[in-house]
């Protein structure tokens, strides 16, 4: 089955800096890659996603890039703010798997004011 | 619409007891998913429904677990004869179709003493 590796497990930045979280996946059939943000005591919330027919997608301060050849994708957050502090999960899914996502282990992002 | 809701938010039980959780998906979402999340891990898929039909179960779903979605609306997840290893956050998500975004509820945190 699919295996998703996520790095780093913890990321500490100063407010205003950029943050990058990287994920790799194993199944070349995966074609949908969502990113979720989970705050303490809450369920994961989708922040951005990308499908395999595009290499990059941006939404204000958040961007995701996808390299299908290398089977890795990354989340970029610019101008970080303290409210960006949370656990971020990447995931990969594919049509043959009913689009059930396989999640990475998460990255705890801490933004210091 | 207020999103996916789950009840209860927290449940403490003694080993060997049965527990039942409820999930109310976003209205008109045909797909409903159950996940389990333990500390430091991403959500792990348990099972999903297309309307009232349970279409897939993960190997994580032992025979002590049962899920239902009568009438294709809300769903319940029951754990019989709970074990300490069942302690986790149980998340519910829903989506309109197979390829649409999954929206998560706040989760039910289960503690088995």
């Amino acid at each position: 089955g699919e295996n998703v590796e996520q790095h780093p497990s913890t990321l500490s930045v100063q407010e205003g800096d950029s943050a990058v979280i990287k994920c790799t996946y194993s199944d070349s059939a995966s074609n949908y890659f969502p990113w979720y943000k989970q705050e303490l005591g809450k369920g994961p919330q989708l922040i951005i996603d990308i499908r395999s027919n595009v290499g990059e997608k941006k939404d204000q301060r958040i961007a995701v890039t996808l390299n299908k050849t290398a089977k890795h994708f990354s989340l970029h957050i610019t101008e970080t703010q303290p409210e960006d502090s949370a656990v971020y999960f990447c995931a990969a899914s594919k049509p043959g798997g009913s689009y059930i996502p396989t999640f990475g282990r998460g990255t705890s992002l801490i933004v210091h004011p | 619409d207020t999103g996916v809701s789950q009840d209860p938010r927290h449940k403490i039980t003694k080993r060997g007891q049965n527990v039942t959780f409820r999930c109310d998906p976003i209205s008109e979402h045909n797909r409903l998913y159950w996940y389990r999340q333990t500390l430091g891990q991403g959500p792990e898929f348990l099972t999903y429904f297309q309307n009232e039909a349970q279409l897939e179960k993960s190997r994580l779903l032992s025979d002590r677990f049962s899920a239902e979605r009568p009438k294709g609306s809300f769903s319940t997840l029951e754990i019989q004869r709970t074990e300490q290893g069942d302690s986790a956050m149980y998340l519910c998500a829903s989506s309109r179709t197979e390829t649409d975004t999954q929206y998560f509820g706040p989760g039910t945190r289960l503690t088995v003493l």
Side-chain angles (χ1 to χ4, degrees), chain A residues 32 36 38 41-46 49 51 89 95 97-106, chain B residues 9 31 33 35 37 40-43 45 48 56 89 91 98-102 104-107:
Chain A
Y32 176 61
Y36 286 86
Q38 187 172 27
K42 298 184 179 180
Q45 301 298 311
L46 181 79
D49 57 10
R51 298 187 186 269
F89 292 97
S98 300
Y99 281 99
I100 304 297
T102 299
F103 287 83
R105 294 184 64 171
Chain B
R9 294 291 309 277
R31 289 214 161 193
Y33 308 81
Y35 294 85
Q37 186 179 25
Q41 302 289 330
F45 168 72
Y48 85 91
E56 189 172 337
M89 174 79 86
L91 294 163
E98 177 183 68
T99 57
D100 277 351
T101 298
Q102 292 187 25
F104 282 82

Side-chain angles (χ1 to χ4, degrees), chain A residues 16-88:
Chain A
D17 287 350
S18 295
V20 180
I21 302 171
K22 299 182 179 182
C23 289
T24 60
Y25 61 99
S26 61
D27 192 335
S28 57
S30 290
N31 65 355
Y32 176 61
F33 307 92
W35 285 87
Y36 286 86
K37 174 183 180 181
Q38 187 172 27
E39 297 175 328
L40 200 62
K42 298 184 179 180
Q45 301 298 311
L46 181 79
I47 55 171
I48 196 167
D49 57 10
I50 190 167
R51 298 187 186 269
S52 60
N53 57 343
V54 296
E56 183 173 357
K57 184 176 178 181
K58 190 173 182 179
D59 182 5
Q60 299 182 345
R61 297 186 296 108
I62 296 173
V64 57
T65 58
L66 171 65
N67 183 327
K68 282 201 69 180
T69 302
K71 290 189 281 189
H72 68 69
F73 55 114
S74 301
L75 178 72
H76 305 251
I77 306 174
T78 58
E79 301 171 21
T80 53
Q81 301 166 3
E83 51 265 39
D84 294 329
S85 297
V87 179
Y88 291 80

